[in-house]
Amino acid sequence: EGRGGLLSTRGKFTLLRDTRTDGSFLVHHFLSFYLRAGCKVCFVALLQSFSHYNIVAQKLGVSLTAAKERGQLVFLEGLKSCLDLLFGEEEKQSGQPSPLQFISESTSNLKALFDFVRTSLTPAGSDSWKGPVLLVDDLSVLLSLGATPVAVLDFIHYCRVTVCYQLKGNIVVLVHSNEDSEDEENELIVNSLCHHSDLILWVEGLATGFCKDVHGQIKIIRRASLELTAEQDLVQIYQYKIQDKNVTFFARGLSAAVL
Amino acid sequence: MAAPFAVRRRRHREAPPERGGARRRTAASSGGAGSAMLEALVAGGAEGLVLVRDNAACEGRSLLRAFVTAAVQRAERVLVVLFDVPREQFEAGLSPSVKEQLLYRDGFTDPLGWSGPDPDLRAGDFGGLLAGGLPSGGAPDAGAGLTQLAAAAPAPPLPLPGPGGPAGGGPPAPDESFTLLPDGSLRSLGVPTPTPEEEDGRPPPSVARTPGSPRDSGGRAPSHPLTFRLQLSAAERAARAAVPPPYQLSTPKRSTLLRTPGTIVCALEPPEDEDPEDPDDDLDV
């Protein structure tokens, strides 16, 4: 489908965007995809627990526990970190500040989170991984936790500088968005990220509502306008159906259920 | 003092790709009269601030590069202040003779000082840069460097206060089309002829203005067209609001209902004599 070519182009920023539906199947795909490709992955997982991602990854043929043990996967479990931060005892905060310390501290920036990402992905001498990857699920949660849009955009900016341009790695970020949304801060972030993305995968629920055989529509926007040749952005639209271990894509209106 | 110009990039609908990788784009400029305004701007006719405002579907950095190329060719000094992209990405596509003439300040790599001491340009230093930190040898082109704004949804051109000159305060100039050539320079294609749709007064359907393109009012087809309309037009909404709901009774009707005693009329049907072999009585035997 073309997504297999992502590794050959390094330093790319991929934006996963969902509207009226859940785009986390793309997060699971990219996680297992990059782990299977041998990349060093830093996963800022704010939405679900480690075991949730592990169960789904096992269906896709990857063990997150094994990846963590061999040092290929650095996993920030946001749910646990938040609890430790807010309710943990003082002795637990041993030397290293928590990456999510903006929740409880007076600092309003996400520098600690960026330092965590940078330390995780800066290659050590003995590493033989193919390129670093930062995966964030999802960015809208940072707003809910109290970060300002400027702080979130600063964090993403520094991640772009470090991961994409200096380390030549890739970034994949999931955000939620809704055209009718009154959440202006979220829409501001989504808009800004669209400007910087090399590839946008926009997953939308069908305008007509829930359907058993077609779970939604995915719009693939390759931002060729950012390239040297300045062509137009390529937009492809497919519909999809999520199955247990697989997602099938088909042209609009050509679901197997209606043919 | 000339009024500042605003140039807004918009995707020209269904533009076919041209040879050599150049493509046709549309710019709407305001604050002056006359056609081929864009050519005049690029040729150095702008004074003061030129604002290039783009959106996510149609980026404006290539237009900025055209301005930069033209300025270098006029032997002006150009200072590029980078916030959004690194230097390699900004100068990609510029000819080597242009590249070596550009001066850069890097506000991209470490604007907040998170990565280490002594960044080239801190976020707060921008005022100081413009006030006293310019390189010697004449004022550089003021239009260089600043790229898109954070809120990139297309908006109507800002009304520009015209300080008395004939160019100020006029109606917005018509949209102009232009093509960017492979060497980075700009060629104006003039004002595109309006299609019959446009002449009706309806704006042409725009192909993906932003990835989050707003819902069209009046019930026109959204970016993924359906065969039926989901939104209400203003007239329909007014008509719906004018219909009284059935549970809202007018006073005379309510008093009538209250006065009428409720009765239940039960009309018993006569006992049926069903034929067990033909219960519906429709067999033609």
Side-chain angles (χ1 to χ4, degrees), chain A residues 2-250:
Chain A
R3 278 191 277 164
L6 267 182
L7 257 195
S8 59
T9 52
R10 305 271 293 265
K12 295 300 172 188
F13 190 105
T14 301
L15 179 67
L16 309 176
R17 180 177 179 179
D18 61 24
T19 302
R20 292 188 307 265
T21 188
D22 184 17
S24 55
F25 69 95
L26 291 171
V27 173
H28 296 301
H29 160 76
F30 278 105
L31 178 62
S32 55
F33 170 73
Y34 280 120
L35 285 175
R36 253 180 286 137
C39 294
K40 176 103 187 254
V41 176
C42 174
F43 188 11
V44 177
L46 302 171
L47 203 60
Q48 305 278 7
S49 64
F50 176 78
S51 52
H52 172 91
Y53 293 106
N54 201 13
I55 291 171
V56 180
Q58 274 169 358
K59 285 193 202 170
L60 299 175
V62 170
S63 164
L64 296 190
T65 328
K68 234 175 37 156
E69 274 162 20
R70 58 177 180 257
Q72 189 187 6
L73 171 67
V74 179
F75 193 96
L76 172 64
E77 189 170 356
L79 295 171
K80 207 152 75 86
S81 298
C82 283
L83 283 182
D84 286 343
L85 189 66
L86 294 172
F87 304 114
E89 294 98 25
E90 290 303 320
E91 297 90 35
K92 275 209 184 125
Q93 297 172 21
S94 54
Q96 280 192 327
S98 163
L100 297 176
Q101 69 176 27
F102 72 95
I103 302 176
S104 63
E105 300 281 317
S106 57
T107 52
S108 58
N109 63 37
L110 296 172
K111 179 172 185 299
L113 189 58
F114 164 68
D115 287 335
F116 169 80
V117 168
R118 187 187 37 176
T119 347
S120 315
L121 291 179
T122 307
S126 54
D127 276 350
S128 61
W129 307 116
K130 291 201 187 71
V133 173
L134 168 65
L135 195 54
V136 181
D137 179 21
D138 62 58
L139 214 57
S140 309
V141 171
L142 288 176
L143 284 180
S144 310
L145 288 173
T148 58
V150 172
V152 175
L153 290 176
D154 286 341
F155 164 68
I156 289 291
H157 177 92
Y158 269 88
C159 288
R160 262 176 72 221
V161 172
T162 308
V163 178
C164 290
Y165 293 105
Q166 289 172 353
L167 300 176
K168 303 282 185 282
N170 294 343
I171 299 184
V172 180
V173 168
L174 174 67
V175 285
H176 302 302
S177 98
N178 197 344
E179 284 163 7
D180 299 338
S181 168
E182 293 172 351
D183 189 349
E184 290 171 356
E185 297 184 338
N186 191 55
E187 295 311 301
L188 183 73
I189 290 187
V190 172
N191 223 339
S192 177
L193 291 178
C194 284
H195 276 277
H196 298 132
S197 307
D198 299 293
L199 176 69
I200 303 175
L201 299 177
W202 191 2
V203 165
E204 295 176 88
L206 297 178
T208 42
F210 173 75
C211 171
K212 194 165 58 92
D213 298 298
V214 178
H215 290 146
Q217 151 181 305
I218 181 168
K219 205 185 284 191
I220 303 173
I221 304 172
R222 290 175 212 277
R223 308 234 23 245
S225 56
L226 298 179
E227 300 282 322
L228 216 66
T229 49
E231 300 291 334
Q232 286 191 2
D233 290 348
L234 300 164
V235 182
Q236 293 168 295
I237 304 182
Y238 298 99
Q239 288 177 339
Y240 64 89
K241 176 175 178 176
I242 304 177
Q243 289 150 336
D244 187 42
K245 294 186 184 180
N246 195 15
V247 177
T248 44
F249 295 88
F250 39 87

